[in-house]
Amino acid sequence: MDRATCSPWTGRTGRWDHAAIAEGLRVLDGAPEAGPYALQARIAACHATAASADATDWPAIATWYDLLAELQPSPVIELNRAVAHGYAHGPAAGLALLAQARAGGALDDYPLAVAAEADLLARHGRRERAATLFRQAAAVTHSEPERRALLDRADEAASHSSG
């Protein structure tokens, strides 16, 4: 991934196997809509068929995550659901769902939850707080590429903060 945690920075050309994507879409066309694997496949299909991050069908992804959270509740699914709603319905919606997902403490030590909150805050205009959270996530991630990407996001957020 070109940038940590956030699909808008994932390269869509060169790295993706478009023949495999086409085959997966053909299989998915005949698959039942219900079931956790089918829902995960539909989410992946939304990402794979979007020409760009801006063209991603975030409302559909948010709906699929709503259904997946009902069928297979988990803190990470709730995190992903919050991110999807943040892109589909605005960062405030994502932040509200993320607060609910983090309330139980299961995501406390998960750097991607902190990074997701930072991304939502940055898009909501709270860039100074976002920069702090990106740095916090970078400090606890075990992946050097993710650490560098998170520090880049922190610098970007800090450079766009007011004051």
Side-chain angles (χ1 to χ4, degrees):
M1 189 181 305
D2 296 329
R3 306 270 307 255
T5 73
C6 303
S7 65
W9 298 281
T10 303
R12 292 176 188 259
T13 59
R15 294 182 180 183
W16 290 16
D17 184 339
H18 296 283
I21 291 170
E23 180 182 348
L25 292 172
R26 281 191 299 277
V27 171
L28 186 58
D29 280 340
E33 282 197 23
Y37 295 118
L39 293 170
Q40 291 173 42
R42 292 184 191 295
I43 292 165
C46 285
H47 287 295
T49 58
S52 68
D54 290 337
T56 301
D57 188 352
W58 286 107
I61 292 172
T63 298
W64 296 127
Y65 269 117
D66 290 344
L67 294 170
L68 185 58
E70 289 177 20
L71 284 176
Q72 194 176 49
S74 80
V76 172
I77 288 172
E78 290 298 335
L79 167 63
N80 293 341
R81 179 175 173 250
V83 170
H85 277 267
Y87 279 99
H89 308 294
L95 286 165
L97 287 173
L98 184 57
Q100 292 174 10
R102 294 187 79 186
L107 296 171
D108 285 353
D109 295 326
Y110 191 47
L112 296 182
V114 177
E117 182 178 359
D119 180 68
L120 290 164
L121 286 169
R123 293 190 306 108
H124 198 50
R126 297 183 54 204
R127 291 178 180 86
E128 189 173 320
R129 176 70 178 140
T132 299
L133 289 176
F134 279 127
R135 287 186 195 97
Q136 180 183 335
V140 295
T141 189
H142 299 290
S143 164
E144 183 59 25
E146 277 185 7
R147 188 185 72 74
R148 285 193 309 269
L150 290 164
L151 290 173
D152 287 348
R153 294 290 314 274
D155 291 345
E156 179 183 323
S159 72
H160 290 97
S161 66
S162 57

